């Protein structure tokens, strides 16, 4: 069983800040559970274009408001607390927070925490074995 608070993640290598956002990576690939889980805040007034070509991402808004654009179709959605979106088709997308936008994110395959968006907004696929003592995923 893993029990971990956001306070335990703060200030560690799991607490990653970029100009547009801060992501606290609570569960990573090394935990060996088949997904990763993050709490992320995208800052008001920013614009972030992403494309998870190697991952499926579920994003659940718990605070704030943002405009989500599917860059492939031009379709726009307003995302508010209680709304989620699932990038199950590896869609290129852009998020424009109107306020600080706090979301809970699940990635499959799990991220290691070392990924950095490349020039296309893509995270590379980095495979990591579970940490010693962690049970492998069945």
């Amino acid at each position: 069983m893993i029990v971990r608070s956001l306070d335990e993640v703060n200030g560690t290598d799991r607490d990653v800040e970029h100009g547009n956002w801060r992501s606290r990576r609570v569960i990573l690939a090394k935990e060996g559970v088949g997904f990763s889980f993050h709490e992320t805040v995208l800052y008001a007034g920013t614009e972030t274009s992403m494309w998870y070509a190697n991952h499926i991402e579920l994003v659940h808004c718990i605070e704030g408001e943002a405009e989500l654009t599917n860059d492939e179709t031009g379709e726009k959605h307003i995302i508010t607390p209680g709304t989620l979106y699932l990038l199950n088709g590896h869609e290129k997308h852009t998020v424009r927070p109107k306020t600080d936008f706090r979301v809970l994110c699940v990635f499959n395959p799990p991220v290691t925490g070392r990924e950095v968006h490349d020039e296309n907004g893509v995270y590379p696929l980095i495979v990591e074995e579970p940490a010693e003592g962690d049970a492998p995923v069945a």
Side-chain angles (χ1 to χ4, degrees):
M1 178 185 300
I2 298 170
V3 177
R4 183 172 293 135
S5 73
L6 288 175
D7 286 342
E8 292 174 90
V9 172
N10 290 339
T12 71
D13 61 351
R14 292 173 181 260
D15 186 358
V16 178
E17 188 149 11
H18 183 271
N20 292 355
W21 50 262
R22 177 186 185 195
S23 181
R24 294 184 284 179
R25 284 98 187 255
V26 181
I27 300 296
L28 292 170
K30 66 183 168 185
E31 272 79 51
V33 295
F35 63 89
S36 58
F37 178 79
H38 315 189
E39 190 228 40
T40 300
V41 176
L42 291 95
Y43 301 126
T46 63
E47 180 176 303
T48 304
S49 295
M50 296 168 273
W51 175 33
Y52 295 115
N54 301 307
H55 300 84
I56 301 295
E57 183 190 25
L58 179 137
V59 179
H60 182 221
C61 175
I62 59 172
E63 186 178 317
E65 181 178 331
E67 178 185 81
L68 169 69
T69 302
N70 180 330
D71 294 337
E72 297 170 13
T73 67
E75 187 175 15
K76 296 178 187 281
H77 304 273
I78 298 299
I79 308 298
T80 58
T83 305
L84 65 80
Y85 59 93
L86 177 65
L87 300 163
N88 58 325
H90 305 283
E91 295 86 357
K92 294 178 181 180
H93 61 288
T94 300
V95 179
R96 294 175 188 88
K98 298 173 186 281
T99 63
D100 282 355
F101 183 61
R102 197 169 88 164
V103 295
L104 303 177
C105 308
V106 177
F107 281 87
N108 185 14
V111 300
T112 65
R114 297 186 311 272
E115 293 82 359
V116 175
H117 290 110
D118 69 13
E119 66 279 359
N120 296 309
V122 175
Y123 274 167
L125 181 60
I126 302 173
V127 178
E128 182 168 271
E129 295 301 316
E132 189 171 323
D134 286 339
V137 177

